[in-house]
Amino acid sequence: MAGGLGVAAGGGSADIKELLHPGAWYQNTRLIKLNLWILLLLITSSTNGYDGSMMNGLQTLKQWKEAFNNPSGGMLGLLNCIQTVGALAATPMAPYATDGLGRRIPILFGATVMIVGTIAQTLSKNVGAFIGARFCIGFGLTFAANAAPLLVSELAYPSQRAPLTSMYNSLWYSGAIVAAWTTYGSFRIPSSWSWRLPSVLQGVPSVIQLALMWFCPESPRWLINKGREEQALHTLAYYHASGNDQDPLVQFEFNEIKEAIALDRQVAETVGWTDLFRTPGNRKRMRIIIALAFFSQWSGNGLVSYYLNRVFDTIGITAVSTQNLINGILQIYNMIIAILGGLYCDRIGRRTLFIASNIGMLVFFCMQTICSARYAITGSNAAANAVIAAIFLYYGSYDIAYSPLIVSYTVEILPYHLRAKGFTVFNFAISLSLIFNQYANPIALDALGWKYYLVYCVWLAFELGFMLLFLVETKGRTLEETAALFDGDDKVAELHARAAADAHLAVKGGRAPSIDEKGSDDMIEQAPKA
């Protein structure tokens, strides 16, 4: 047997840190190339972010409102939520495409459908055409958004997986920034191109993906699951070890993926939707995943994401230029905070970030509610300015965890055989919550004004309690080990030991320590040659 590195029992990325290649990633041409492919995948989220911010901006444009008969109440809610209805319609099909055809093909299909929808939306001459086009965009987005974050997490270099996967949702704001500043500039165009131009630009990320995704590598995990092990090993070696398929890191990754898939198959030869809830570990996963989906949309953020102009109207800020300017600045601020949260998630920990986020959201949304009430009573400009400050502080709290982590956390806690279906349930729950937000919020704001905020104050208190009770910390583990964590420490240890043995890595320490027992003594040592 060839000599290799020894790996301490217990698992975790800290245990295999000596298998990682030294030096900065930007000094490795293969990692640069890999991260450029990952960037291509990340822009899927930009398309989604663009839509929400664009619709926010269009509602301030006189030309758009006149073109579609000054929509309000239920009709305005329908124009916003129809994209989510389209996404919901595609949800049952998306995981079968992702599992059956690979991660790349659904992204290509989704990009194609979104391009068609964007063209139809830009050329719309009546409400019916606009609604149909937005349904088409949502339908295509579901296929791309179901596959892209999975491919990011399954391709990324081990030490970069968590930050890069966290970037997926964080880059929602990159699309929002472009849309916000596009509508800020285009509102001065006197013709219908004031709203058609932002619509044209919505299709740009999909055009880029359609041109380049043909050359993107496929997921090694999908390839191994389909019996194409040689191709999977080549992909791992090419991008993670400059082509050396005998590199200890590549061998460990390759064998850990194989063992994880083999262990999954021992549990279920055929995977159905009921398997998501069959075992205690899976029920723990889905409880957190579904909660995160609803919390990410029902925390009051939907008011600003889709109806910022209505919020501004309640505090006397009605100038179109002012509303669009604040929206543009807010999106830049959001992206900066979200990226920082994603970059520091491994250092600070997911649980710490989520709890801090929920505390901040509760405090600052209550502040927004109180200041809005004061403005309604007194008409004070100071109260109006305080509402704007509260919105920025609230979003700063939301962005440190919910923007970067909801997708990456969901993907990493799901084992491979449930990953596509579990992520589909996550997206389905988000779609349901969005439909409620987009349809009910304008009606409630018209009827209740600032009093509607009280509902979210109570809900945010509930969210904080849930996160304190149920959220599990996952930092410092590989993708396979994080997924196994919910099934018990013995599963993590078994997976780690089997992968190390298959890769000819000596395992030191026997039994894996539990989460509470695990300290800083885990280490890697050189195994003797045999």
Side-chain angles (χ1 to χ4, degrees):
M1 181 185 296
L5 290 173
V7 183
S13 61
D15 299 338
I16 61 168
K17 63 183 180 182
E18 290 188 17
L19 299 182
L20 301 176
H21 299 289
W25 67 269
Y26 49 80
Q27 295 174 334
N28 185 318
T29 55
R30 297 289 175 89
L31 286 183
I32 292 173
K33 188 174 181 180
L34 174 62
N35 288 341
L36 287 174
W37 286 126
I38 288 174
L39 178 62
L40 179 67
L41 302 171
L42 295 177
I43 64 174
T44 306
S45 185
S46 299
T47 304
N48 199 11
Y50 188 100
D51 185 81
S53 187
M54 181 191 73
M55 288 304 296
N56 229 335
L58 294 187
Q59 292 170 55
T60 69
L61 301 182
K62 177 183 177 182
Q63 298 90 330
W64 182 81
K65 289 188 283 190
E66 289 177 348
F68 299 106
N69 304 318
N70 294 297
S72 62
M75 178 53 71
L76 181 60
L78 178 61
L79 286 170
N80 268 307
C81 78
I82 192 62
Q83 192 230 39
T84 308
V85 174
L88 205 59
T91 296
M93 296 171 273
Y96 293 102
T98 302
D99 279 342
L101 301 176
R103 310 319 197 195
R104 296 186 308 161
I105 298 301
I107 297 173
L108 285 163
F109 173 76
T112 303
V113 174
M114 283 189 283
I115 291 170
V116 172
T118 299
I119 294 171
Q121 179 178 262
T122 303
L123 299 177
S124 295
K125 294 184 178 180
N126 54 59
V127 172
F130 194 81
I131 289 173
R134 287 185 53 70
F135 179 94
C136 185
I137 292 171
F139 190 88
L141 179 62
T142 293
F143 284 91
N146 184 265
L150 304 189
L151 187 52
V152 171
S153 68
E154 293 169 0
L155 277 177
Y157 194 69
S159 61
Q160 297 179 339
R161 178 184 58 80
L164 285 175
T165 312
S166 297
M167 287 302 101
Y168 178 83
N169 218 44
S170 300
L171 289 183
W172 188 96
Y173 289 117
S174 65
I177 288 169
V178 175
W181 288 101
T182 300
T183 52
Y184 177 72
S186 69
F187 88 90
R188 296 176 176 84
I189 301 174
S191 69
S192 65
W193 280 101
S194 63
W195 66 266
R196 295 186 196 275
L197 178 60
S199 179
V200 168
L201 294 179
Q202 186 173 8
V204 171
S206 298
V207 171
I208 295 172
Q209 287 187 322
L210 184 60
L212 298 178
M213 273 303 300
W214 305 98
F215 311 104
C216 181
E218 184 54 270
S219 163
R221 288 156 177 85
W222 184 82
L223 292 170
I224 289 173
N225 191 54
K226 296 299 181 181
R228 294 158 62 178
E229 295 185 0
E230 184 176 346
Q231 188 177 349
L233 181 61
H234 173 76
T235 299
L236 287 170
Y238 183 86
Y239 289 104
H240 291 189
S242 299
N244 180 11
D245 61 9
Q246 295 304 309
D247 182 270
L249 172 65
V250 170
Q251 284 295 313
F252 182 81
E253 287 185 286
F254 178 69
N255 285 287
E256 187 175 51
I257 295 168
K258 286 203 304 181
E259 291 296 346
I261 292 174
L263 286 172
D264 290 341
R265 284 174 176 163
Q266 288 178 10
V267 177
E269 286 294 328
T270 58
V271 180
W273 292 98
T274 57
D275 290 293
L276 292 171
F277 303 94
R278 190 181 302 278
T279 67
N282 288 347
R283 288 191 290 272
K284 290 177 185 176
R285 292 182 179 98
M286 297 313 299
R287 176 175 61 196
I288 294 173
I289 288 170
I290 293 172
L292 283 178
F294 279 96
F295 292 175
S296 71
Q297 305 303 323
W298 281 6
S299 297
N301 53 308
L303 294 172
V304 174
S305 294
Y306 288 91
Y307 301 106
L308 183 60
N309 66 310
R310 295 299 185 92
V311 174
F312 284 155
D313 288 345
T314 65
I315 56 174
I317 299 175
T318 57
V320 173
S321 59
T322 303
Q323 290 184 352
N324 282 328
L325 179 61
I326 295 174
N327 185 33
I329 295 171
L330 179 62
Q331 302 310 329
I332 295 173
Y333 166 82
N334 284 338
M335 189 172 76
I336 292 171
I337 302 298
I339 289 175
L340 289 174
L343 291 176
Y344 284 93
C345 66
D346 266 344
R347 184 175 302 180
I348 299 173
R350 281 70 151 168
R351 178 178 167 84
T352 301
L353 285 172
F354 271 116
I355 291 173
S357 175
N358 277 97
I359 292 172
M361 285 194 295
L362 176 59
V363 170
F364 296 123
F365 200 87
C366 288
M367 174 181 164
Q368 179 183 336
T369 303
I370 293 168
C371 294
S372 297
R374 292 305 302 164
Y375 179 85
I377 296 169
T378 67
S380 166
N381 287 333
N385 292 335
V387 170
I388 297 174
I391 289 173
F392 275 80
L393 291 169
Y394 164 85
Y395 261 96
S397 299
Y398 180 92
D399 292 333
I400 62 172
Y402 281 88
S403 290
L405 299 183
I406 56 169
V407 169
S408 60
Y409 189 88
T410 296
V411 170
E412 71 184 8
I413 69 174
L414 287 164
Y416 175 82
H417 72 294
L418 296 176
R419 194 165 290 148
K421 286 186 172 64
F423 192 59
T424 297
V425 171
F426 170 79
N427 285 324
F428 180 80
I430 282 184
S431 296
L432 288 180
S433 59
L434 275 173
I435 289 173
F436 174 85
N437 265 1
Q438 293 165 341
Y439 191 80
N441 278 342
I443 299 172
L445 281 172
D446 287 343
L448 300 174
W450 68 267
K451 295 184 180 75
Y452 182 47
Y453 300 166
L454 294 171
V455 175
Y456 286 107
C457 291
V458 175
W459 180 255
L460 283 165
F462 167 77
E463 287 184 8
L464 176 58
F466 182 96
M467 301 301 271
L468 286 167
L469 287 173
F470 298 117
L471 197 78
V472 177
E473 183 56 75
T474 61
K475 72 173 182 177
R477 294 180 182 273
T478 66
L479 184 60
E480 278 66 38
E481 290 160 359
T482 299
L485 180 63
F486 284 76
D487 298 312
D489 292 335
D490 57 331
K491 285 288 186 183
V492 179
E494 179 185 359
L495 172 62
H496 196 76
R498 289 172 61 169
D502 290 346
H504 308 317
L505 303 174
V507 180
K508 179 182 178 179
R511 184 185 66 84
S514 70
I515 299 169
D516 293 330
E517 295 170 335
K518 187 177 179 182
S520 59
D521 294 333
D522 290 344
M523 59 178 292
I524 303 171
E525 64 172 11
Q526 185 70 33
K529 293 184 178 182

